[in-house]
Amino acid sequence: MNEVSHVAAADPTAPVGSGKSRAALLWLILPLAALGLAITWLLVSDPLRNFGNGAPPVESLTFERTILSSDGIRVLVRAGGSEPMTIAQVQVDDAYWQFTQEPAGPLGRGATAWIHLPFPWVLGEAHAINIVTNTGATFEHEIAVAVSTPTRDAGNLASHALLGVLVGLVPVAIGMMFYPALRGVGRNGMNFLLALTVGLLAYLLVDAAAEAFELAGESAALFQGQAMVTLAAAASFLLLMAAGRRDGVPTRLALATFIALGIGLHNLGEGLAIGAAFAAGAAGLGTFLVLGFMLHNITEGIGISAPMLKKRPPLWAFVGLALLAGGPAVIGLWIGSLAYAPQWSALALAVGSGAILQVIVEVTAYLMRSDGRGPAALTAPATMAGLAAGVLFMYVTAMLVKV
């Protein structure tokens, strides 16, 4: 009797549970079906046609990349208008030129096309390109300094790699060579170095965010540059915070790794900017500029070393941290000089900004824990001096590299 009663009591629960699941599925499908019907009706009946007043559709065209070679000029354009747009004519320096478009035909919203112009550009001169659509709308693009775009060959890749090593990897490694001299510092010295790290990271955060928003403004409107940068930075910060604290609060080598990662993402964006400027002829990357980048980045190596002073890690850890922080500069130079696009550079800098913010939070927390006085450590003279020194050093050395 007890067994029969148990089965009888258990059976009714199954139909009730499955009934609830079917009801939940139904209420999930119904709104989606209603949305599909509404979209179908909107496309078929086109009720907005009654609001038309004969004005041409809104058109938008963004220039994403310019390539100058022996056979002329090629520009990559992206359409962002409300309707497909057709490129009718192209002017170079106020003269109409024959052009070819790949792929041919109208450009839908978000579509890209290469425009090839057999124009005999002049080395070192400025040229103006003006694209005219079939509605009469015009879109201008200026080539400030005409120089041949680097090609994808072993020689160019090697020269860019060497430059990336000089401005990214070498200064970080030099900064980390101060590690033995720093190990004997006391509590105030430790606070100074950790605050120095926070100061240089704070400068990098402001610098990376400013460049990301500037590049976002140059990208096509459909990418919603300002929102893209903000959301990417926030996502990067939250994901790294979750990953960093999955096994507890990061300390020592783990914290140094996050510092190197944040700096590496910033150096990736820095490499993108250098490569793009180098390809466009907008920056003469001479010896003075390279030396400026080296001085600017040496402090990054010191900042990476600061959390590891209490316990010396193995040698391979230093090599790995230097590669993580400085290596992305090489990748950035390759991408920036050979396949630059403002929206992707802005996205890389935004991710780097979020990573740097995460590191600032973790280093600040580590400083308070290692000092033993909690938040009071943040107002100690050594801490304030380190913070000011980090920001000031990065600001002054940045004057050498801004062009």
Side-chain angles (χ1 to χ4, degrees):
M1 182 65 181
N2 290 338
E3 184 177 351
V4 174
S5 300
H6 176 72
V7 173
D11 286 342
T13 61
V16 171
S18 55
K20 289 183 178 180
S21 299
R22 285 195 296 269
L25 181 61
L26 178 63
W27 284 111
L28 177 64
I29 294 174
L30 281 177
L32 294 176
L35 177 62
L37 289 174
I39 293 174
T40 303
W41 175 81
L42 185 65
L43 295 175
V44 172
S45 63
D46 191 18
L48 300 181
R49 67 179 180 275
N50 297 325
F51 296 94
N53 56 5
V58 176
E59 293 181 337
S60 175
L61 195 71
T62 304
F63 293 81
E64 291 194 350
R65 183 158 171 78
T66 304
I67 295 179
L68 279 68
S69 60
S70 58
D71 61 349
I73 302 174
R74 296 178 67 211
V75 291
L76 178 65
V77 296
R78 185 182 297 272
S82 59
E83 299 289 340
M85 56 189 296
T86 301
I87 297 175
Q89 296 174 318
V90 180
Q91 293 177 323
V92 183
D93 295 343
D94 297 324
Y96 288 99
W97 282 82
Q98 294 290 331
F99 71 95
T100 55
Q101 175 183 327
E102 300 176 7
L107 295 176
R109 179 176 175 82
T112 59
W114 282 99
I115 307 298
H116 177 238
L117 299 157
F119 177 79
W121 54 274
V122 180
L123 180 66
E125 294 291 327
H127 298 291
I129 299 174
N130 189 26
I131 291 181
V132 185
T133 69
N134 62 338
T135 65
T138 60
F139 302 93
E140 298 180 356
H141 174 63
E142 181 184 7
I143 301 173
V145 181
V147 294
S148 181
T149 303
T151 56
R152 295 178 177 87
D153 56 48
N156 274 320
L157 291 176
S159 62
H160 292 152
L162 177 61
L163 182 59
V165 169
L166 288 175
V167 301
L169 187 59
V170 168
V172 172
I174 291 174
M176 296 182 73
M177 290 173 66
F178 287 98
Y179 178 84
L182 300 176
R183 291 202 67 194
V185 299
R187 187 180 71 176
N188 287 335
M190 184 70 172
N191 286 354
F192 177 86
L193 291 173
L194 290 172
L196 181 79
T197 303
V198 173
L200 73 90
L201 289 171
Y203 179 88
L204 293 180
L205 173 62
V206 173
D207 184 61
E211 290 186 18
F213 281 114
E214 182 179 350
L215 289 168
E218 299 174 6
S219 62
L222 62 91
F223 288 108
Q224 306 170 76
Q226 307 293 325
M228 178 186 69
V229 168
T230 303
L231 293 174
S236 173
F237 170 75
L238 294 173
L239 287 173
L240 287 173
M241 283 294 293
R245 301 207 171 189
R246 182 181 55 185
D247 298 323
V249 179
T251 59
R252 297 177 184 173
L253 181 57
L255 183 55
T257 302
F258 279 107
I259 295 175
L261 176 61
I263 291 174
L265 289 172
H266 175 269
N267 284 338
L268 173 66
E270 193 174 73
L272 287 168
I274 297 171
F278 181 71
L285 292 176
T287 303
F288 180 78
L289 191 59
V290 173
L291 288 175
F293 273 110
M294 291 180 70
L295 289 173
H296 185 63
N297 292 341
I298 282 176
T299 315
E300 296 174 354
I302 298 175
I304 294 171
S305 302
M308 303 185 294
L309 296 179
K310 289 185 177 180
K311 184 179 180 181
R312 181 174 181 173
L315 181 61
W316 63 262
F318 289 97
V319 176
L321 291 172
L323 289 172
L324 181 59
V330 177
I331 301 173
L333 266 160
W334 282 340
I335 298 174
S337 60
L338 300 176
Y340 172 82
Q343 64 272 11
W344 309 133
S345 298
L347 183 62
L349 285 166
V351 172
S353 298
I356 292 170
L357 180 58
Q358 181 260 349
V359 175
I360 290 175
V361 172
E362 295 293 13
V363 173
T364 302
Y366 181 72
L367 189 156
M368 291 188 294
R369 291 195 308 272
S370 63
D371 180 83
R373 290 178 291 174
L378 300 179
T379 57
T383 304
M384 300 300 291
L387 183 64
V391 173
L392 184 62
F393 183 86
M394 296 298 282
Y395 178 81
V396 171
T397 54
M399 294 180 181
L400 303 175
V401 301
K402 295 298 182 181
V403 293

